[in-house]
Amino acid sequence: MIKEIRLINWKSFKDAKVYIDPLNVLIGTNASGKSNLIDGIAYLNSAVHGKNLQFALDGGGGLFPPVGAVRGGSEYAAMLPGDQFTLETVIQEDDNTDYRYSITIRTKPQVEVIAESLTKVIHKKTKSKETNLFNTLKNDEKVDNLSPIIPAYINNGQGRTIRKDLKNTISVISQLNNYEIKNDEVLHAIQYVTDKMEQIFILDPVPSLMRDYVPFSSYLLENASNLAGMIAALPDDKRLKIENQLTLYLSKLPEGEITRVWTEPVGKFQRDAMLYCEEKWGKTCQPIIIDTRGMSDGTLRFLAIFTALLTRPEGSLIVIEEVDNGLHPSRATLLLQTIQEIGANRSIDLLITTHNPALMDELGAEMIPFIQVVHRDIIDGSSKISLLEDIETLPKLLARGSVGELSTRGVIEKSLTLKEGNTTVPGISPYDGGVINEK
């Protein structure tokens, strides 16, 4: 599984790590950097997939808005005034073995990879042993800095390296994944890391795009617009199982009773699909059938989230921004319990962001080690990521209110500001655990 992701000079991040556990919750004020973090994860996923590095930032196809573009594109990908950034990840294979993958990209005068490496780390009782499996460096003295080629030096397993000249517009790891490599250790590592990185799924359901008939599809899109087509295209036994599970989870959400969720093929050629549900409101009301056009935004978002959890490959990492958007606070407990339950059953990790104090409060004290705070440095304004449990004044803060209450009042972020700036922020007493001075 993916253990951590590091961002160096990426957008607003100078150098920060996000740690990955079965359920990870990111909190922070607006413009703190949460969306920039998700953009970084999405771009790393695209790079390892082998997408053109320029298109993955700026989009391609000549469409507007550009398809697949990262917000701000290549102009704002690197922390200004710089022109390069590094993204890293650590992926665990077993209790003793990790792989550390790193890629550095320059954005000017063109988007290109200038450094990339894959390292195997064996953890022993007293120290760790690191083995370099491959590395690249565009500024190699043997290579013209304007050349479209980047040399890759691959460990041959006999204490030497083999050089391959590759394109600098695509990640080296994606190119090596298609080459014949005689060192089985290197080949296995490349395939393992590529497989795990490709299982990252950024989910951002857009209910307005989910309300129409859609063609059958073999996978769920990030905006979930093809939800009905994806479910309808599943083999009958798996489709029925998914529909029954969605019925079970969705029946707990509204005040009324949802008795069934299902999809049906539509159209002359039976290659389009619509999603339906049967619901009953009140004791004397007859059940009614509605399709996605009549479902609420919150219901559609729930369907998309649950479907992703039920259908993504085991071992995936699903990233969801504002997971509870459109959800009534009273349903926060159910949402949290359900995603934890499905995630644990299917070995799927979740990274979610939220502003909802009710959801934060439902996490409970046992979840504090898995809450990370995205905030701005008081000195240079860069985004940082801090574990909630690492805040020295956290016991005093929690004595004054729940995590949700503290976050709503901005106390958590301000307490981090006090620690980093070693200064006084108006309205906060450093002698009171960083708690807002109500007086």
Side-chain angles (χ1 to χ4, degrees):
M1 306 288 277
I2 298 173
K3 293 174 63 175
E4 65 183 53
I5 295 173
R6 183 181 181 189
L7 309 99
I8 303 173
N9 295 324
W10 167 262
K11 290 199 168 188
S12 60
F13 290 94
K14 180 182 290 183
D15 191 350
K17 289 181 182 178
V18 60
Y19 297 97
I20 308 298
D21 291 290
L23 178 60
N24 316 267
V25 182
L26 293 176
I27 63 174
T29 59
N30 291 330
S32 59
K34 298 189 300 296
S35 294
N36 288 344
L37 168 61
I38 293 177
D39 285 343
I41 296 174
Y43 187 71
L44 183 59
N45 171 257
S46 295
V48 174
H49 262 89
K51 294 184 179 179
N52 180 282
L53 299 173
Q54 175 90 46
F55 288 170
L57 281 178
D58 294 328
L63 301 177
F64 186 83
V67 175
V70 170
R71 291 175 308 116
S74 57
E75 184 176 357
Y76 296 101
M79 174 177 274
L80 299 175
D83 63 357
Q84 63 184 56
F85 60 86
T86 300
L87 300 173
E88 293 184 357
T89 184
V90 175
I91 299 176
Q92 181 182 27
E93 182 172 32
D94 55 47
D95 292 340
N96 300 316
T97 308
D98 289 339
Y99 295 106
R100 183 172 64 248
Y101 169 71
S102 174
I103 183 170
T104 299
I105 294 171
R106 181 163 53 205
T107 59
K108 297 176 182 179
Q110 62 185 16
V111 177
E112 60 179 340
V113 55
I114 59 173
E116 195 169 340
S117 64
L118 180 61
T119 304
K120 183 177 183 178
V121 183
I122 302 295
H123 299 286
K124 298 184 178 180
K125 291 183 179 180
T126 55
K127 61 179 181 179
S128 298
K129 176 185 176 182
E130 296 191 1
T131 302
N132 179 46
L133 302 181
F134 79 77
N135 69 81
T136 63
L137 188 61
K138 179 64 186 292
N139 294 325
D140 188 298
E141 60 182 9
K142 301 177 183 179
V143 179
D144 184 344
N145 200 38
L146 297 178
S147 170
I149 298 300
I150 184 168
Y153 299 96
I154 308 162
N155 188 325
N156 69 352
Q158 300 174 357
R160 302 179 64 184
T161 59
I162 299 173
R163 173 173 168 163
K164 285 185 178 292
D165 288 342
L166 304 173
K167 299 177 181 178
N168 64 0
T169 56
I170 302 173
S171 68
V172 168
I173 194 171
S174 65
Q175 295 179 74
L176 291 179
N177 197 30
N178 295 317
Y179 275 80
E180 181 180 349
I181 298 177
K182 295 182 179 180
N183 186 340
D184 290 340
E185 181 182 28
V186 175
L187 179 62
H188 168 76
I190 289 174
Q191 292 175 341
Y192 185 82
V193 169
T194 300
D195 178 63
K196 294 303 177 185
M197 291 303 298
E198 288 183 345
Q199 288 179 7
I200 294 175
F201 184 58
I202 313 293
L203 178 63
D204 183 18
V206 182
S208 62
L209 300 179
M210 302 165 62
R211 300 188 183 280
D212 207 349
Y213 301 96
V214 291
F216 280 26
S217 177
S218 57
Y219 58 89
L220 184 66
L221 295 175
E222 293 182 359
N223 61 15
S225 59
N226 65 335
L227 178 67
M230 180 266 175
I231 297 174
L234 294 171
D236 287 346
D237 55 343
K238 187 173 183 179
R239 176 182 55 78
L240 290 172
K241 181 179 179 181
I242 295 297
E243 290 173 350
N244 289 336
Q245 289 175 305
L246 290 176
T247 299
L248 173 64
Y249 294 128
L250 203 63
S251 65
K252 302 175 183 178
L253 294 181
E255 299 300 332
E257 180 183 5
I258 291 181
T259 57
R260 185 186 174 199
V261 175
W262 76 99
T263 57
E264 286 184 9
V266 295
K268 181 176 181 179
F269 300 104
Q270 298 285 284
R271 298 303 299 171
D272 289 339
M274 173 57 81
L275 188 145
Y276 303 87
C277 76
E278 183 180 77
E279 60 180 30
K280 181 179 180 181
W281 294 83
K283 295 182 179 179
T284 60
C285 178
Q286 293 295 316
I288 60 173
I289 295 175
I290 61 173
D291 58 32
T292 53
R293 294 173 296 180
M295 297 181 191
S296 69
D297 285 1
T299 297
L300 290 173
R301 283 182 60 85
F302 261 99
L303 283 167
I305 292 171
F306 293 159
T307 300
L309 281 163
L310 292 168
T311 58
R312 292 294 299 173
E314 292 192 5
S316 294
L317 168 63
I318 298 179
V319 182
I320 310 172
E321 190 168 12
E322 301 302 333
V323 66
D324 46 0
N325 188 19
L327 173 68
H328 192 276
S330 65
R331 295 295 182 257
T333 302
L334 176 62
L335 171 67
L336 194 64
Q337 290 175 345
T338 303
I339 62 177
Q340 283 182 299
E341 175 187 332
I342 302 175
N345 289 341
R346 304 199 66 245
S347 299
I348 288 178
D349 290 341
L350 283 144
L351 177 64
I352 63 176
T353 72
T354 182
H355 284 118
N356 186 349
L359 183 62
M360 297 182 209
D361 289 344
E362 288 300 331
L363 292 171
E366 68 276 7
M367 278 299 298
I368 285 179
F370 310 109
I371 300 176
Q372 301 176 65
V373 187
V374 185
H375 56 102
R376 293 281 185 161
D377 186 275
I378 191 175
I379 304 300
D380 61 20
S382 65
S383 295
K384 306 184 76 172
I385 305 173
S386 300
L387 288 168
L388 182 61
E389 66 175 355
D390 285 347
I391 300 177
E392 295 178 1
T393 58
L394 183 61
K396 291 183 178 180
L397 294 177
L398 293 176
R400 297 297 186 92
S402 65
V403 173
E405 292 171 338
L406 297 174
S407 179
T408 300
R409 293 156 57 194
V411 175
I412 295 174
E413 292 80 2
K414 290 178 180 178
S415 67
L416 287 166
T417 300
L418 280 171
K419 176 182 176 181
E420 294 162 359
N422 193 24
T423 185
T424 300
V425 175
I428 301 183
S429 167
Y431 303 104
D432 195 21
V435 178
I436 291 179
N437 188 336
E438 302 292 352
K439 297 180 181 179

